[in-house]
Amino acid sequence: MVSMATSPPNPPRPGGPIAPARQPDGGGEVVLERVPQKVKPPQMYQVVMLNDDYTPMEFVVVVIQEFFGKDRETATQIMLKIHLDGKGICGVYSRDVAATKVDQVLDAAKQAGHPLQCVSEPVE
Ligand code: TYC
């Protein structure tokens, strides 16, 4: 018995799949039509920190540096924006990563005895 090589399944194409179609003139040629891409980029979530009257500024700066990977100067600017405007965006992530950041901030605040609040919300 002759064994046949099996071809691997088609990998996903960056521009969407290609579907064979007949020429409209009824000719015998087969043309390839690109099917529009159906996948959308994933929804992103911004982590928003809220102001309060009790959490020390220094604590907020350290939290922003620690959990959002900002340098001290950027973290200070974000903290001051939150202090003045009431809230501010610390970073934008996929849903799960944003939820983890919120948990980390709330855990750190609770452990330190500060009322710091932070939420994640879909971008746009
Ligand atoms: N308003 C706080 C204070 O004056 C500082 C602060 C900044 C608290 C940002 C929370 O998310 C916050 N100590």
Side-chain angles (χ1 to χ4, degrees):
M1 183 180 148
V2 179
S3 66
M4 302 265 287
T6 55
S7 54
N10 289 335
R13 301 178 65 89
I18 291 176
R22 292 274 163 200
Q23 287 282 57
D25 64 5
E29 284 172 49
V30 174
V31 293
L32 298 179
E33 282 178 2
R34 197 172 288 284
V35 177
Q37 180 69 281
K38 281 185 193 138
V39 291
K40 290 180 285 178
Q43 171 76 63
M44 299 300 278
Y45 288 73
Q46 56 196 20
V47 178
V48 177
M49 201 173 280
L50 308 176
N51 188 36
D52 65 70
D53 293 336
Y54 305 102
T55 305
M57 290 184 175
E58 175 62 19
F59 181 82
V60 177
V61 171
V62 170
V63 159
I64 294 171
Q65 283 182 267
E66 186 100 353
F67 298 124
F68 299 95
K70 308 297 186 192
D71 59 36
R72 187 160 177 90
E73 197 181 317
T74 305
T76 302
Q77 286 169 1
I78 294 171
M79 181 280 295
L80 285 174
K81 189 206 181 312
I82 301 166
H83 177 71
L84 296 172
D85 296 354
K87 62 182 178 176
I89 298 167
C90 294
V92 177
Y93 306 94
S94 65
R95 188 176 62 173
D96 287 359
V97 173
T100 299
K101 302 277 179 197
V102 170
D103 288 347
Q104 288 173 325
V105 171
L106 296 181
D107 285 352
K110 192 170 180 182
Q111 214 179 320
H114 300 312
L116 182 62
Q117 291 297 305
C118 158
V119 296
S120 81
E121 55 187 40
V123 175
E124 281 141 337

